[in-house]
Amino acid sequence: MMPVRSIEIAGSTVRVFPSASLACVAAADFITRTIQEATEARGRAVLGLATGHTPLPVYKRLVALHRAGEVSFRDVSTYNLDEYYPIAPTDLQSYRTYMDRHLFDHLDIPPNRTHLFDGTVPEAFVADYAATFDRWIAAEGGLDLQLLGIGRNGHIGFNEPSDVSVHEALRLPSRLMALHPITLADAAADFGDEGLVPRRALTIGVAPILAARSILVLAFGPKKAEILAQALRGPMTAEVPASLLQSARARVTWLVDEAAAARLG
Ligand code: F6R
């Protein structure tokens, strides 16, 4: 088996695994350690979580570790990155359904500590509601860990590419976003047809993501190779939101597979 190698890119450390499944084992171990250390230090752990295809094996592994008695989520609070808008939490395509099905239903986490944006909030209140999420996270003492995937267009959460300055991009709060055409196309399979994908989503902002005490980014497969190279080797720009992670590089751990690392050199 090929060993795990580390690449250093302008101060960012990227760990390249022979397969996505091995990287996911490492990610689950990292999350478990974070939970144990934070609960020992502060009596609780606050996790920022992602949905999508990438973290599914991580959640499977966390469930297995929990069942084996290796980790408890009794003292954990979670905040998910995003939710479609509008959508009902009970909708099969909602991220609430995804999280319950793949993770929360199998853990000892108190249900009132799993936070996802509610995609039924009336439009007149949605901006205030999104800002409230940032205050909740701050009131919990901030995120111990933010888990991230990357969109093919470089989005993190649903912070989509834009032409704002880097200064403004680094300060983007949680808010309602119009989804980018690549995001809509990539979500088409989940909804059965692109026309059925909600056009907007609530997302945790760039600023609260970057404020996490530690950030774990996963990128797997050849479709992520180009954007990963831009995020790590390119300039920081709001056109590639994942490049903004360079501003927090000392707190960011990149776990990728060989296919995604193909253009890192
Ligand atoms: C999901 C999220 C998105 C995904 C990204 C990659 O909560 O915030 O940014 O991480 O779209 O999606 P997958 O993992 O399906 O390739």
Side-chain angles (χ1 to χ4, degrees), residues 50-55 81-82 95 149-151 155-158 224:
T51 54
H53 299 278
T54 306
L81 281 167
D82 33 33
Y95 284 155
I150 304 191
H155 70 209
I156 49 174
F158 279 138
K224 302 288 170 75

Side-chain angles (χ1 to χ4, degrees), residues 55-153:
L56 282 173
V58 179
Y59 295 151
K60 208 168 166 191
R61 174 90 180 164
L62 285 173
V63 169
L65 288 170
H66 170 65
R67 288 197 173 131
E70 304 277 333
V71 61
S72 168
F73 287 73
R74 223 179 23 240
D75 300 314
V76 174
S77 298
T78 63
Y79 288 85
N80 261 82
L81 281 167
D82 33 33
E83 180 60 283
Y84 290 108
Y85 186 86
I87 204 165
T90 49
D91 193 297
L92 285 181
Q93 267 72 42
S94 77
Y95 284 155
R96 164 54 78 180
T97 299
Y98 169 113
M99 289 306 298
D100 286 346
R101 177 164 160 229
H102 295 294
L103 191 65
F104 301 147
D105 284 353
H106 313 286
L107 303 177
D108 58 348
I109 190 163
N112 61 336
R113 298 229 187 97
T114 66
H115 306 96
L116 276 96
F117 288 116
D118 180 346
T120 67
V121 167
E123 181 133 14
F125 296 97
V126 88
D128 280 352
Y129 171 67
T132 308
F133 236 64
D134 291 353
R135 294 205 295 275
W136 287 1
I137 293 172
E140 293 236 38
L143 298 171
D144 290 298
L145 176 106
Q146 175 65 64
L147 180 66
L148 291 178
I150 304 191
R152 276 192 305 135
N153 61 2

